Amino acid sequence: MFRANGRLALAISMALVGLVSDAIGQGLLISSEQEFRHPLPRIMPPIRPGQPGFLYDIAKLEIDASIRNQVAEVQVAQTFRNRSSRTLQVKFVFPLPYDGAIDQMTFMVDGQELEGRLLEADKAREIYQSYVRRNQDPALVQWIGTGMFQTQVFPVPAGAERTVSLRYTQVCKRQAALNDWLLPLSPTKFTSSPIGELNIRGRIRSETKLGNVYSPSHDLKIERDGDKVARFEYNAKATVPRRDFRVLWDTGNEAVQMSMVSHRPDADQDGYFMLLIQPQFPAVEKDKKKSGKNVILVLDKSGSMRGEKIDQTRRAAAYVVNKLRARDRFTLINYDSRVETFRSDLTRGDKETRDDASDYIDSMLAGGSTNIGGALAKALEFSAEADGPAYVVFMTDGKPTVGEKNGMKIAANVKRQLSEQTRLFSLGVGHDVNSRLLDKLASICLGQTMYVRPGEPLDGIVSQLYDRIGAPALTDAKLELLVDGKEGRTRQIYPSTMYDLFSGDQLVVVGRYRKPGELEIKLTGNFLGKKQQYDYTGEFAKKTSSGRNAFVERLWGTRRIGQIIDDIDLYGENQELVDELIALSKKHGILTPYTAYLAEEQTDINDITRGRRVAQSNLQALSEEAGENAFRQRAFKSQLKSAGRAGQLDYSLPPSVDGMATSGGGLGGGAANKLNLNFSAPGLPAGNAAKQKDEQRQVARDRQAVRQIGGKTFFLKGDRYVDSQASDEQIAKAQKVEQFGDSYFELIEKLGNRSKAFLAESTELLVVIDDKAYVIVPPAPKAEAPKKP
């Protein structure tokens, strides 16, 4: 941590593209007068906002990127405040990703340009080594081996703010068909307090049509401006970034654009892959006499829907009806104790019929019980008459209270009556829904379940859903993967069943492969009544030495955990599934309500017997079919199954549901799949303010208890972070390495880039590299000299 009389050492996260190391890209403002004479104050995580002794605040970090083809023009502006009581003479040091990567670099302080010079890696290495040895700041280890940009000295008055900006042009990296832009943000965790405001904006322009635009690191707002331009944006306040910011994109003129990323860190084990599928079908001209969509709206108007909910239902239904085209066929079903229909069969969506349907919707009144089984049976009768895929949008806010009341029997009846062309989209509104029934329906129907929290605007969600399913679609889609021309070399693919692909969706498919080799993908389906096939070729890697694509493995682990919980929920637990759930949660640091015990300080994460016993006990909470806890568990499970990126699920999130989650097909990372959940204990629903404060304190403990460093998971045990994959024998025989000693720098030389993330930590850490365990120990604090009288 900073001492009160120290100089300013400010870590600034800078925008970089196409890195050779995950940790490159910070800048330093460093006091020039003590650069080689006095050790700089160390920056010690964890971050403690407002802790006295720190000398700066970061008020704002703004990044703007304009990317054309593979060339990025980047501007970074950071506003910081000198919290010390004296003027500091500082200069700026900026690590380069690799020689010759940057062109036209300009550095400015409050609008005044300062001179700087570029140093090649060999010369810069000496300076970095000196910084690490003399300043004893382990964060600097991350930059050894890179070039450097260094400016002249400039003053920062006491209490003053300074806006530091950097502009440069750089060529983006490319892997296979994907372009790669990476902005290292994780180094900003070494700042004194959260960044007040973080804004990242970018625009991608291409000479050909843009296909997939995907971030494996952050939930972005992505907007397309025609076929060749996409804009993305990310905003956060009072944030401590925990992962680097990354955007991938591809280009091409196919109606369905596909790209693949593979990751195989161990050549003796199965590899992992991620497939991005972006359909962009041409719009169907209005005057063409093509068959339209078949839409069946099933509306709950039971007594519990009185008030705002029935008003939202009316608005939602009216939105869908107004969007129908003359060639579409539709009907409306509403239900309470009885089941009523707008028409006796599917009818064309001409203006006269739409007007009549709008009047029918306005006349709906809430009252009575909930006949879910009868409403579903009637909807399936209509869908069987459809001349193509039939989209059933089914809304409910409660449990079945009349007719068939057993949820599993209702699901069995649906399965018997279901036709191949039916796609069921269920909206579970509020905590009273039978969430187990809705998940069971998602497992047997080619559709999805969406969980809508209390107070969430139902009409807005339905309009988003219909905008999606109203787009042109590739129906009856099937995916075939061949490796070196052979089947059976991929497994555990999620989603396990293909669904209709709607234009504008982005499907994220993850799986494992047994053998490397030439990959051939065939995507088939029907578009406007004609059979279509889309092909892609790539290569599964034999071995990937860098951690660039490690996110693919963790994303697969997230989806697999969701599938395991789903299987246990719907079909019952067995020891093999429980053990796999524990192993994956431990390896990837993906905590669930059933494996949260792994984060407890006293837990021996290698004690399989106790872990199994605790997890099996916690899994009993899945027996709840309805209520708030059941709702939260199944919404949580749904997020796991449809997660679009490795870090989308974060156990350390506020204990509330901030949106809706989908179960079933899922877009795999679209805006409709955002969900924030925290389970401080299985079976414990959110409650009053005092209980929520307790949960938030638990969140803070959990955030410190589990960390992702260099693609590995670490659990805090005592005062040490322990590699989740370390065996008891490795822990017992771990080699002790004291930071800044000779063995420390020898390890940097021996292990190279693989060791930097672990050696850059400021807390004691046990890590396994190449089957050998090392304990990285910070030096003992030096005793302060007695003050003179």
Side-chain angles (χ1 to χ4, degrees):
M1 57 182 292
F2 283 113
R3 294 189 294 272
N5 62 350
R7 308 297 192 202
L8 181 63
L10 176 59
I12 304 177
S13 175
M14 289 296 170
L16 285 181
V17 186
L19 298 153
V20 284
S21 169
D22 288 341
I24 301 170
Q26 296 186 74
L28 279 177
L29 286 182
I30 195 167
S31 175
S32 62
E33 64 210 57
Q34 67 177 85
E35 179 181 347
F36 294 107
R37 292 200 298 272
H38 305 291
L40 285 173
R42 294 178 62 201
I43 306 173
M44 298 288 290
I47 309 305
R48 296 187 182 126
Q51 181 175 350
F54 286 110
L55 301 182
Y56 70 92
D57 286 322
I58 300 176
K60 183 181 289 188
L61 178 59
E62 300 263 359
I63 297 102
D64 289 277
S66 178
I67 306 170
R68 188 178 185 88
N69 299 323
Q70 281 186 257
V71 178
E73 296 179 359
V74 183
Q75 177 164 312
V76 182
Q78 183 162 6
T79 301
F80 62 95
R81 182 185 301 109
N82 177 4
R83 290 174 53 182
S84 74
S85 59
R86 56 167 295 179
T87 297
L88 300 172
Q89 299 293 329
V90 300
K91 64 180 177 180
F92 179 76
V93 175
F94 178 69
L96 303 181
Y98 47 86
D99 292 339
I102 288 179
D103 186 24
Q104 300 178 3
M105 176 176 280
T106 305
F107 179 76
M108 305 184 78
V109 178
D110 286 347
Q112 298 296 315
E113 184 173 344
L114 292 185
E115 293 183 3
R117 61 193 180 107
L118 292 170
L119 301 175
E120 294 184 356
D122 290 343
K123 177 61 177 175
R125 185 183 191 87
E126 298 176 11
I127 298 177
Y128 287 133
Q129 291 271 18
S130 297
Y131 283 161
V132 174
R133 289 182 184 275
R134 296 176 180 274
N135 301 336
Q136 295 204 347
D137 185 349
L140 301 172
V141 168
Q142 301 175 78
W143 304 332
I144 292 175
T146 73
M148 173 190 291
F149 173 78
Q150 183 173 279
T151 71
Q152 65 190 55
V153 174
F154 59 94
V156 183
E161 287 191 353
R162 283 290 182 266
T163 298
V164 175
S165 62
L166 184 70
R167 293 198 308 267
Y168 60 89
T169 301
Q170 189 171 2
V171 177
C172 299
K173 283 287 189 180
R174 185 179 178 90
Q175 55 174 328
L178 284 167
N179 300 291
D180 192 345
W181 187 73
L182 190 147
L183 169 67
L185 289 178
S186 58
T188 58
K189 66 188 177 185
F190 293 104
T191 59
S192 63
S193 59
I195 297 173
E197 187 175 338
L198 171 62
N199 300 308
I200 303 173
R201 293 174 293 271
R203 181 176 66 165
I204 302 172
R205 294 174 292 169
S206 174
E207 299 297 332
T208 56
K209 188 168 67 172
L210 273 173
N212 292 282
V213 178
Y214 170 79
S215 173
S217 59
H218 291 75
D219 287 318
L220 304 185
K221 178 182 178 182
I222 299 175
E223 296 181 350
R224 292 181 181 267
D225 185 4
D227 291 339
K228 299 179 180 180
V229 178
R231 302 175 190 273
F232 60 85
E233 186 171 351
Y234 176 79
N235 308 103
K237 293 183 181 296
T239 183
V240 178
R242 297 187 172 275
R243 57 184 64 90
D244 295 336
F245 183 93
R246 193 172 176 189
V247 178
L248 309 175
W249 72 97
D250 59 22
T251 61
N253 292 313
E254 293 287 338
V256 178
Q257 188 71 23
M258 289 185 274
S259 285
M260 187 274 299
V261 178
S262 65
H263 178 62
R264 198 183 195 205
D266 188 340
D268 296 325
Q269 301 289 331
D270 284 3
Y272 303 84
F273 71 90
M274 179 188 71
L275 177 65
L276 300 175
I277 303 176
Q278 172 74 58
Q280 296 185 55
F281 301 114
V284 180
E285 296 179 16
K286 293 182 179 181
D287 59 350
K288 283 192 175 181
K289 296 182 179 180
K290 297 285 186 181
S291 59
K293 295 198 182 301
N294 300 287
V295 180
I296 302 165
L297 278 180
V298 187
L299 312 172
D300 185 348
K301 66 180 187 71
S302 59
S304 58
M305 293 289 290
R306 289 193 185 98
E308 179 62 20
K309 279 200 259 186
I310 194 66
D311 289 339
Q312 289 186 352
T313 300
R314 293 192 193 103
R315 291 196 294 269
Y319 180 89
V320 173
V321 167
N322 289 331
K323 285 282 187 175
L324 292 168
R325 295 159 296 185
R327 62 176 175 272
D328 295 328
R329 300 174 70 205
F330 80 104
T331 195
L332 305 170
I333 300 172
N334 57 43
Y335 68 99
D336 45 31
S337 305
R338 299 183 305 164
V339 178
E340 301 174 348
T341 62
F342 167 60
R343 297 282 172 90
S344 59
D345 54 11
L346 294 175
T347 186
R348 292 285 179 185
D350 55 65
K351 186 178 186 308
E352 181 180 351
T353 308
R354 294 199 306 270
D355 290 344
D356 192 25
S358 297
D359 184 67
Y360 179 84
I361 291 166
D362 287 341
S363 68
M364 283 190 346
L365 299 175
S369 301
T370 308
N371 189 355
I372 287 178
L376 285 170
K378 179 58 70 174
L380 295 178
E381 287 180 18
F382 281 109
S383 70
E385 301 173 3
D387 56 358
Y391 298 96
V392 179
V393 180
F394 172 70
M395 288 180 264
T396 180
D397 79 332
K399 302 181 291 291
T401 57
V402 69
E404 180 57 68
K405 300 177 185 178
N406 185 294
M408 293 303 100
K409 289 184 178 179
I410 292 174
N413 293 337
V414 167
K415 188 173 183 178
R416 282 194 298 271
Q417 193 179 356
L418 187 68
S419 66
E420 291 184 0
Q421 57 194 7
T422 302
R423 285 82 166 120
L424 178 66
F425 294 83
S426 300
L427 277 77
V429 184
H431 295 150
D432 293 332
V433 297
N434 187 324
S435 52
R436 171 174 280 180
L437 167 60
L438 297 186
D439 273 12
K440 185 67 175 179
L441 293 174
S443 73
I444 62 178
C445 301
L446 290 175
Q448 297 173 268
T449 295
M450 284 154 278
Y451 290 101
V452 187
R453 69 177 174 89
E456 186 79 10
L458 176 61
D459 49 339
I461 291 171
V462 173
S463 63
Q464 290 177 25
L465 170 62
Y466 188 75
D467 285 346
R468 178 185 166 222
I469 66 177
L474 184 74
T475 62
D476 300 320
K478 291 181 175 58
L479 196 63
E480 180 183 8
L481 287 81
L482 303 176
V483 181
D484 289 338
K486 297 178 182 179
E487 297 179 339
R489 294 196 169 184
T490 57
R491 66 183 182 93
Q492 292 181 312
I493 297 173
Y494 304 109
S496 55
T497 304
M498 285 293 294
Y499 298 83
D500 295 350
L501 290 178
F502 299 97
S503 188
D505 276 1
Q506 184 171 67
L507 182 65
V508 180
V509 179
V510 293
R512 303 199 68 177
Y513 63 92
R514 294 190 298 111
K515 292 181 178 295
E518 189 84 15
L519 172 66
E520 181 182 355
I521 297 176
K522 294 180 181 178
L523 173 65
T524 58
N526 295 308
F527 181 67
L528 299 180
K530 293 183 179 180
K531 190 79 171 179
Q532 301 288 341
Q533 177 173 313
Y534 304 93
D535 299 313
Y536 171 84
T537 58
E539 186 174 356
F540 283 150
K542 293 180 180 179
K543 189 178 188 301
T544 49
S545 55
S546 75
R548 174 185 291 272
N549 297 331
F551 71 90
V552 176
E553 179 179 353
R554 193 162 186 249
L555 176 57
W556 177 88
T558 302
R559 296 270 190 97
R560 176 59 185 161
I561 288 173
Q563 186 62 53
I564 290 171
I565 297 173
D566 195 40
D567 289 344
I568 292 173
D569 184 18
L570 298 179
Y571 309 111
E573 72 173 62
N574 60 59
Q575 183 173 308
E576 290 79 7
L577 286 177
V578 174
D579 287 351
E580 187 180 358
L581 172 63
I582 295 170
L584 288 171
S585 295
K586 172 187 166 186
K587 180 177 182 180
H588 300 292
I590 302 168
L591 296 183
T592 72
Y594 324 106
T595 57
Y597 69 90
L598 289 169
E600 296 173 0
E601 185 174 328
Q602 70 275 15
T603 296
D604 179 359
I605 58 177
N606 290 329
D607 188 343
I608 298 174
T609 301
R610 179 184 180 275
R612 183 186 297 150
R613 184 171 64 251
V614 174
Q616 287 174 327
S617 175
N618 292 343
L619 283 163
Q620 293 178 9
L622 281 171
S623 62
E624 300 180 44
E625 291 189 340
E628 182 176 357
N629 190 45
F631 177 96
R632 296 177 74 191
Q633 288 185 89
R634 291 184 176 97
F636 176 87
K637 174 186 69 177
S638 297
Q639 188 197 23
L640 285 164
K641 292 177 63 180
S642 61
R645 60 178 181 83
Q648 187 172 4
L649 176 73
D650 186 347
Y651 180 75
S652 305
L653 288 170
S656 63
V657 182
D658 288 343
M660 70 175 181
T662 63
S663 176
L667 302 187
N673 297 321
K674 295 179 182 177
L675 176 72
N676 292 341
L677 288 172
N678 173 262
F679 292 89
S680 58
L684 179 64
N688 55 36
K691 183 158 55 179
Q692 289 193 3
K693 286 183 179 179
D694 288 340
E695 287 183 331
Q696 289 168 354
R697 282 192 287 269
Q698 180 66 41
V699 166
R701 288 192 292 270
D702 291 342
R703 180 173 288 128
Q704 294 181 12
V706 185
R707 294 185 61 192
Q708 294 290 320
I709 305 170
K712 284 176 166 282
T713 298
F714 293 82
F715 290 89
L716 183 62
K717 302 300 176 185
D719 295 326
R720 172 191 294 177
Y721 281 99
V722 178
D723 190 330
S724 67
Q725 299 303 290
S727 68
D728 290 337
E729 182 180 2
Q730 288 172 325
I731 293 173
K733 296 182 178 180
Q735 175 185 337
K736 183 178 178 180
V737 179
E738 184 171 329
Q739 282 182 331
F740 317 122
D742 291 339
S743 61
Y744 180 74
F745 290 98
E746 289 172 4
L747 200 59
I748 294 175
E749 295 295 330
K750 176 183 175 183
L751 298 177
N753 289 338
R754 291 178 300 160
S755 68
K756 288 182 180 179
F758 314 117
L759 297 176
E761 290 298 312
S762 296
T763 52
E764 185 171 323
L765 179 143
L766 187 149
V767 60
V768 177
I769 304 175
D770 294 338
D771 294 325
K772 183 174 178 56
Y774 303 89
V775 178
I776 314 302
V777 182
K782 297 178 180 179
E784 293 188 10
K787 296 181 180 179
K788 294 181 180 180

